[in-house]
Amino acid sequence: MATSMGCLVVLCLVSPLLLAGAVLGNPGYGGGGGLFPQFYDHSCPQAKQIVHSIVAQAVARETRMAASLLRMHFHDCFVKGCDASVLLDNSTTIVSEKDSNPNKNSLRGFEVVDQIKAALEAACPSTVSCADILALAARDSTILVGGPYWEVPLGRRDSLGASIQGSNNGIPAPNNTLPTIITKFKRLGLNVVDVVALSGGHTIGLSRCTSFRQRLYNQSGNGLADSTLDVSYAAQLRQGCPRSGGDNNLFPLDVVTSTKFDNFYFKNILAGRGLLSSDEVLLTKSAETAALVKAYADDVHLFFQHFAQSMVNMGNIMPLTGSKGEIRKNCRRLNNFH
């Protein structure tokens, strides 16, 4: 009886969300209006192939680049929408988001974006936006390491500014509480399914010691390790992440298959082996998110389906379309750069 009740609870929690977030789709704040996958079919028919080719070369050189490019799209969309504001360097008029707390010494892959942009400018000058490059590169990166395919709606334009304040305040942080994380998603028109599904992007990539140190030594201000962390896993982490120093030492977010896009991230959370506090709270702080963690751990196809839809939802956040913004010739600076 307990088993069947457990299943009922999971179904009760997942099914309405699945309908809202994964089947009907969530258009995102601002609706993603005007975006469609065929946007460049006439103006730059080789655009998708150019992006895929350069991303494939970059991921072949360094598998970690897949996670880096996926994360860059996420950090772009959560600040002023998916408008490539994250790519702008400092200038007389721009305070770069690259220097924000979530991005400084952490966000990477800018050279790959530069390479893609140069190839696209050679093939189709002033046509494909940097914002669309980030959306396509995130999708291609996911596929290249074994994740799901999705059609990427296109037609975003590039911002004329950046927001370091928005980057500092709007991007979910590893030590945020679950209500704070959910609020940051809901502000942008995303829902709880999007929170858990997109957190599954942590099935690939690495994290710095500074992002989870408090879990190893002083989670609740009592000088003790996080009680939800597997004891042997915590001991293993402490070897490379001391109380002080080693801030930039890197650890896999998915301790089992760190270079393969799969559902081990969720299985790890169930075993007390989620790396970040923001991973672990998905299981321990909400029945709704816990049901999704368990559902994705049980069914990789469900996770892939929801992740793909949530990536489209995220990519639809407040795009600049029509005559808004511009198509940058160089992703690091505005066209009227001076």
Side-chain angles (χ1 to χ4, degrees):
M1 186 62 192
T3 306
S4 61
M5 277 304 293
C7 292
L8 284 172
V9 170
V10 169
L11 286 170
C12 287
L13 288 166
V14 174
S15 296
L17 289 168
L18 190 153
L19 286 170
V23 176
L24 299 177
N26 173 359
Y29 184 76
L35 303 185
F36 54 99
Q38 302 80 21
F39 189 85
Y40 298 111
D41 282 7
H42 297 295
S43 60
C44 192
Q46 64 272 57
K48 293 175 192 174
Q49 182 52 47
I50 289 170
V51 175
H52 186 274
S53 171
I54 295 171
V55 172
Q57 291 168 29
V59 172
R61 282 194 304 270
E62 182 197 22
T63 312
R64 181 186 173 202
M65 188 55 68
S68 300
L69 291 171
L70 178 60
R71 183 168 181 249
M72 196 185 295
H73 182 42
F74 180 83
H75 282 214
D76 180 39
C77 291
F78 266 68
V79 183
K80 294 167 70 270
C82 310
D83 61 359
S85 61
V86 73
L87 301 176
L88 289 169
D89 286 340
N90 284 314
S91 72
T92 53
T93 57
I94 301 291
V95 179
S96 176
E97 293 171 19
K98 295 177 184 181
D99 293 324
S100 72
N101 294 327
N103 295 341
K104 194 176 179 68
N105 300 322
S106 177
L107 208 62
R108 58 198 297 278
F110 298 109
E111 297 78 12
V112 178
V113 176
D114 291 339
Q115 194 182 348
I116 294 168
K117 184 58 176 170
L120 286 168
E121 285 300 304
C124 321
S126 302
T127 303
V128 181
S129 68
C130 302
D132 279 345
I133 289 172
L134 292 181
L136 287 167
R139 190 272 312 271
D140 291 344
S141 293
T142 302
I143 297 167
L144 285 160
V145 290
Y149 171 88
W150 64 92
E151 288 272 10
V152 179
L154 298 166
R156 300 167 191 81
R157 289 167 64 84
D158 299 323
S159 74
L160 299 174
S163 175
I164 190 168
Q165 183 182 5
S167 186
N168 279 324
N169 299 332
I171 295 172
N175 59 349
N176 279 163
T177 64
L178 184 59
T180 297
I181 293 167
I182 290 171
T183 296
K184 287 180 176 181
F185 274 72
K186 286 191 170 175
R187 274 205 301 245
L188 300 172
L190 302 177
N191 63 27
V192 174
V193 170
D194 299 314
V195 171
V196 183
L198 291 173
S199 294
H202 287 172
T203 179
I204 53 173
L206 305 173
S207 181
R208 296 183 298 163
C209 166
T210 184
S211 296
F212 60 86
R213 175 184 279 126
Q214 86 287 347
R215 295 193 73 201
L216 304 180
Y217 301 104
N218 193 23
Q219 175 67 2
S220 306
N222 58 5
L224 299 175
D226 188 335
S227 61
T228 63
L229 198 57
D230 176 77
V231 175
S232 62
Y233 182 48
Q236 181 186 330
L237 293 172
R238 276 192 286 269
Q239 289 177 1
C241 185
R243 281 181 185 273
S244 62
D247 284 7
N248 293 322
N249 292 353
L250 295 170
F251 296 79
L253 285 156
D254 170 354
V255 70
V256 180
T257 56
S258 65
T259 60
K260 187 172 189 299
F261 199 101
D262 54 26
N263 64 340
F264 264 98
Y265 165 80
F266 297 104
K267 295 179 181 183
N268 294 338
I269 291 175
L270 295 178
R273 293 161 73 86
L275 185 63
L276 306 179
S277 174
S278 57
D279 299 324
E280 174 269 323
V281 294
L282 298 175
L283 179 66
T284 56
K285 299 299 183 184
S286 155
E288 191 176 16
T289 57
L292 286 160
V293 169
K294 290 167 186 168
Y296 297 158
D298 286 342
D299 186 349
V300 69
H301 301 294
L302 181 69
F303 166 49
F304 277 20
Q305 177 194 346
H306 284 200
F307 182 82
Q309 181 60 55
S310 290
M311 285 297 292
V312 173
N313 296 346
M314 184 181 80
N316 282 344
I317 296 171
M318 293 182 283
L320 299 172
T321 57
S323 59
K324 295 175 185 169
E326 65 181 16
I327 305 296
R328 284 184 218 144
K329 295 177 184 299
N330 177 334
C331 292
R332 294 174 179 266
R333 57 181 191 236
L334 305 182
N335 291 339
N336 68 352
F337 175 81
H338 51 78

